[in-house]
Short mmCIF file of all heavy atoms in Angstrom, two decimals:
data_model
loop_
_atom_site.label_atom_id
_atom_site.label_comp_id
_atom_site.label_asym_id
_atom_site.label_seq_id
_atom_site.Cartn_x
_atom_site.Cartn_y
_atom_site.Cartn_z
N THR A 252 -1.60 -5.12 5.59
CA THR A 252 -0.25 -5.61 5.30
C THR A 252 0.34 -4.91 4.08
O THR A 252 1.51 -5.10 3.76
CB THR A 252 -0.26 -7.13 5.06
OG1 THR A 252 -1.12 -7.42 3.96
CG2 THR A 252 -0.71 -7.87 6.31
N GLU A 253 -0.50 -4.13 3.40
CA GLU A 253 -0.09 -3.46 2.18
C GLU A 253 -0.59 -2.02 2.19
O GLU A 253 -1.71 -1.75 2.61
CB GLU A 253 -0.66 -4.21 0.97
CG GLU A 253 -0.05 -3.84 -0.36
CD GLU A 253 -0.60 -4.71 -1.49
OE1 GLU A 253 -1.81 -4.99 -1.48
OE2 GLU A 253 0.18 -5.09 -2.37
N ILE A 254 0.27 -1.11 1.74
CA ILE A 254 -0.05 0.32 1.70
C ILE A 254 -0.10 0.77 0.25
O ILE A 254 0.77 0.44 -0.55
CB ILE A 254 0.99 1.15 2.46
CG1 ILE A 254 1.04 0.75 3.93
CG2 ILE A 254 0.70 2.64 2.32
CD1 ILE A 254 -0.19 1.10 4.73
N PHE A 255 -1.13 1.55 -0.08
CA PHE A 255 -1.24 2.13 -1.43
C PHE A 255 -0.88 3.62 -1.36
O PHE A 255 -1.50 4.37 -0.60
CB PHE A 255 -2.66 1.96 -1.97
CG PHE A 255 -2.98 0.57 -2.38
CD1 PHE A 255 -3.53 -0.32 -1.46
CD2 PHE A 255 -2.74 0.13 -3.68
CE1 PHE A 255 -3.83 -1.63 -1.84
CE2 PHE A 255 -3.03 -1.17 -4.06
CZ PHE A 255 -3.58 -2.05 -3.13
N LEU A 256 0.11 4.00 -2.13
CA LEU A 256 0.51 5.41 -2.23
C LEU A 256 -0.17 6.03 -3.44
O LEU A 256 -0.03 5.52 -4.56
CB LEU A 256 2.04 5.52 -2.35
CG LEU A 256 2.85 4.99 -1.17
CD1 LEU A 256 4.35 5.03 -1.50
CD2 LEU A 256 2.58 5.80 0.09
N LEU A 257 -0.87 7.12 -3.23
CA LEU A 257 -1.65 7.74 -4.30
C LEU A 257 -0.84 8.71 -5.15
O LEU A 257 -1.24 9.07 -6.26
CB LEU A 257 -2.87 8.46 -3.71
CG LEU A 257 -3.81 7.58 -2.88
CD1 LEU A 257 -4.99 8.41 -2.38
CD2 LEU A 257 -4.29 6.38 -3.67
N GLY A 258 0.27 9.20 -4.62
CA GLY A 258 1.16 10.06 -5.39
C GLY A 258 0.56 11.42 -5.71
O GLY A 258 -0.19 12.00 -4.94
N PHE A 259 0.93 11.93 -6.92
CA PHE A 259 0.47 13.26 -7.36
C PHE A 259 -0.74 13.07 -8.28
O PHE A 259 -0.61 12.94 -9.49
CB PHE A 259 1.59 13.98 -8.11
CG PHE A 259 2.85 14.16 -7.32
CD1 PHE A 259 3.90 13.26 -7.46
CD2 PHE A 259 2.99 15.21 -6.43
CE1 PHE A 259 5.07 13.42 -6.73
CE2 PHE A 259 4.15 15.38 -5.70
CZ PHE A 259 5.19 14.47 -5.85
N ARG A 260 -1.92 13.08 -7.70
CA ARG A 260 -3.13 12.81 -8.48
C ARG A 260 -3.53 13.98 -9.37
O ARG A 260 -4.32 13.81 -10.30
CB ARG A 260 -4.27 12.45 -7.54
CG ARG A 260 -4.07 11.11 -6.85
CD ARG A 260 -5.26 10.75 -5.99
NE ARG A 260 -5.42 11.66 -4.86
CZ ARG A 260 -6.44 11.60 -4.02
NH1 ARG A 260 -7.40 10.72 -4.19
NH2 ARG A 260 -6.51 12.45 -3.00
N ASP A 261 -3.03 15.17 -9.11
CA ASP A 261 -3.45 16.36 -9.85
C ASP A 261 -2.49 16.74 -10.98
O ASP A 261 -2.67 17.77 -11.63
CB ASP A 261 -3.59 17.56 -8.90
CG ASP A 261 -4.67 17.32 -7.85
OD1 ASP A 261 -5.62 16.57 -8.15
OD2 ASP A 261 -4.55 17.87 -6.74
N LEU A 262 -1.47 15.92 -11.22
CA LEU A 262 -0.51 16.27 -12.26
C LEU A 262 -1.10 16.11 -13.66
O LEU A 262 -0.88 16.92 -14.54
CB LEU A 262 0.75 15.41 -12.13
CG LEU A 262 1.74 15.81 -11.04
CD1 LEU A 262 2.91 14.85 -11.01
CD2 LEU A 262 2.23 17.23 -11.25
N GLU A 263 -1.83 15.00 -13.88
CA GLU A 263 -2.48 14.71 -15.15
C GLU A 263 -1.50 14.80 -16.33
O GLU A 263 -0.56 14.02 -16.42
CB GLU A 263 -3.68 15.64 -15.36
CG GLU A 263 -4.76 15.48 -14.30
CD GLU A 263 -5.90 16.45 -14.46
OE1 GLU A 263 -5.84 17.30 -15.37
OE2 GLU A 263 -6.87 16.35 -13.68
N GLU A 264 -1.67 15.79 -17.23
CA GLU A 264 -0.83 15.88 -18.42
C GLU A 264 0.61 16.28 -18.11
O GLU A 264 1.50 16.08 -18.93
CB GLU A 264 -1.44 16.87 -19.42
CG GLU A 264 -2.79 16.44 -19.96
CD GLU A 264 -3.36 17.46 -20.94
OE1 GLU A 264 -2.70 18.50 -21.14
OE2 GLU A 264 -4.45 17.21 -21.47
N ALA A 265 0.84 16.86 -16.94
CA ALA A 265 2.19 17.32 -16.60
C ALA A 265 3.03 16.24 -15.95
O ALA A 265 4.18 16.49 -15.58
CB ALA A 265 2.10 18.54 -15.67
N LYS A 266 2.49 15.02 -15.81
CA LYS A 266 3.23 14.00 -15.06
C LYS A 266 4.50 13.56 -15.78
O LYS A 266 5.51 13.27 -15.13
CB LYS A 266 2.34 12.79 -14.76
CG LYS A 266 1.97 11.93 -15.94
CD LYS A 266 1.17 10.72 -15.47
CE LYS A 266 0.87 9.76 -16.62
NZ LYS A 266 0.12 8.58 -16.15
N PHE A 267 4.48 13.50 -17.12
CA PHE A 267 5.69 13.07 -17.83
C PHE A 267 6.81 14.11 -17.75
O PHE A 267 7.96 13.75 -17.46
CB PHE A 267 5.37 12.73 -19.29
CG PHE A 267 6.55 12.14 -20.03
CD1 PHE A 267 6.99 10.86 -19.75
CD2 PHE A 267 7.22 12.89 -20.98
CE1 PHE A 267 8.09 10.32 -20.42
CE2 PHE A 267 8.32 12.37 -21.64
CZ PHE A 267 8.75 11.07 -21.37
N PRO A 268 6.52 15.41 -18.00
CA PRO A 268 7.57 16.42 -17.79
C PRO A 268 8.09 16.43 -16.35
O PRO A 268 9.29 16.58 -16.13
CB PRO A 268 6.88 17.73 -18.15
CG PRO A 268 5.78 17.35 -19.06
CD PRO A 268 5.31 16.01 -18.59
N PHE A 269 7.18 16.26 -15.40
CA PHE A 269 7.58 16.22 -13.99
C PHE A 269 8.50 15.02 -13.74
O PHE A 269 9.50 15.13 -13.02
CB PHE A 269 6.34 16.12 -13.10
CG PHE A 269 6.65 16.04 -11.62
CD1 PHE A 269 6.97 17.17 -10.90
CD2 PHE A 269 6.62 14.81 -10.97
CE1 PHE A 269 7.26 17.10 -9.54
CE2 PHE A 269 6.92 14.72 -9.62
CZ PHE A 269 7.22 15.87 -8.90
N PHE A 270 8.18 13.88 -14.35
CA PHE A 270 9.01 12.68 -14.22
C PHE A 270 10.41 12.92 -14.79
O PHE A 270 11.41 12.58 -14.15
CB PHE A 270 8.35 11.50 -14.94
CG PHE A 270 9.20 10.27 -15.02
CD1 PHE A 270 9.25 9.38 -13.97
CD2 PHE A 270 9.97 10.03 -16.15
CE1 PHE A 270 10.05 8.24 -14.04
CE2 PHE A 270 10.77 8.91 -16.23
CZ PHE A 270 10.81 8.01 -15.18
N VAL A 271 10.48 13.51 -15.97
CA VAL A 271 11.78 13.74 -16.63
C VAL A 271 12.64 14.70 -15.82
O VAL A 271 13.83 14.44 -15.59
CB VAL A 271 11.56 14.28 -18.06
CG1 VAL A 271 12.90 14.70 -18.68
CG2 VAL A 271 10.87 13.24 -18.92
N VAL A 272 12.04 15.80 -15.37
CA VAL A 272 12.78 16.78 -14.56
C VAL A 272 13.27 16.15 -13.26
O VAL A 272 14.43 16.33 -12.86
CB VAL A 272 11.92 18.03 -14.28
CG1 VAL A 272 12.62 18.95 -13.29
CG2 VAL A 272 11.62 18.77 -15.57
N SER A 273 12.40 15.40 -12.60
CA SER A 273 12.76 14.75 -11.33
C SER A 273 13.87 13.73 -11.54
O SER A 273 14.79 13.62 -10.72
CB SER A 273 11.54 14.06 -10.72
OG SER A 273 10.52 15.00 -10.44
N LEU A 274 13.80 12.99 -12.64
CA LEU A 274 14.84 12.00 -12.95
C LEU A 274 16.19 12.67 -13.18
O LEU A 274 17.22 12.21 -12.68
CB LEU A 274 14.44 11.17 -14.17
CG LEU A 274 15.45 10.12 -14.65
CD1 LEU A 274 15.71 9.09 -13.55
CD2 LEU A 274 14.96 9.45 -15.93
N LEU A 275 16.18 13.77 -13.93
CA LEU A 275 17.42 14.50 -14.20
C LEU A 275 18.02 15.06 -12.91
O LEU A 275 19.24 15.00 -12.70
CB LEU A 275 17.17 15.63 -15.21
CG LEU A 275 16.83 15.19 -16.64
CD1 LEU A 275 16.47 16.40 -17.50
CD2 LEU A 275 17.99 14.42 -17.26
N ILE A 276 17.16 15.60 -12.06
CA ILE A 276 17.63 16.13 -10.77
C ILE A 276 18.21 15.02 -9.92
O ILE A 276 19.25 15.19 -9.27
CB ILE A 276 16.49 16.85 -10.03
CG1 ILE A 276 16.09 18.13 -10.77
CG2 ILE A 276 16.89 17.20 -8.59
CD1 ILE A 276 14.90 18.85 -10.18
N TYR A 277 17.56 13.86 -9.92
CA TYR A 277 18.05 12.71 -9.15
C TYR A 277 19.43 12.28 -9.63
O TYR A 277 20.33 11.97 -8.83
CB TYR A 277 17.06 11.56 -9.26
CG TYR A 277 17.47 10.33 -8.49
CD1 TYR A 277 17.83 10.40 -7.15
CD2 TYR A 277 17.47 9.08 -9.11
CE1 TYR A 277 18.19 9.27 -6.44
CE2 TYR A 277 17.83 7.94 -8.40
CZ TYR A 277 18.19 8.04 -7.08
OH TYR A 277 18.56 6.91 -6.38
N ILE A 278 19.63 12.29 -10.96
CA ILE A 278 20.94 11.94 -11.52
C ILE A 278 21.99 12.94 -11.08
O ILE A 278 23.13 12.58 -10.72
CB ILE A 278 20.86 11.86 -13.06
CG1 ILE A 278 19.98 10.68 -13.49
CG2 ILE A 278 22.25 11.73 -13.67
CD1 ILE A 278 19.67 10.65 -14.97
#
């Protein structure tokens, strides 16, 4: 009844820059 999404497991230290860039692109 519930699904777990694993996302980008290999980003590690780059996940915050990736988040910021993705957020800006989304805007």
Side-chain angles (χ1 to χ4, degrees):
T252 59
E253 194 175 40
I254 299 292
F255 287 90
L256 298 174
L257 303 181
F259 303 96
R260 292 184 293 176
D261 298 331
L262 282 179
E263 298 177 356
E264 296 180 358
K266 71 176 184 179
F267 186 71
F269 179 79
F270 172 84
V271 172
V272 172
S273 299
L274 178 60
L275 292 174
I276 292 175
Y277 180 51
I278 293 171

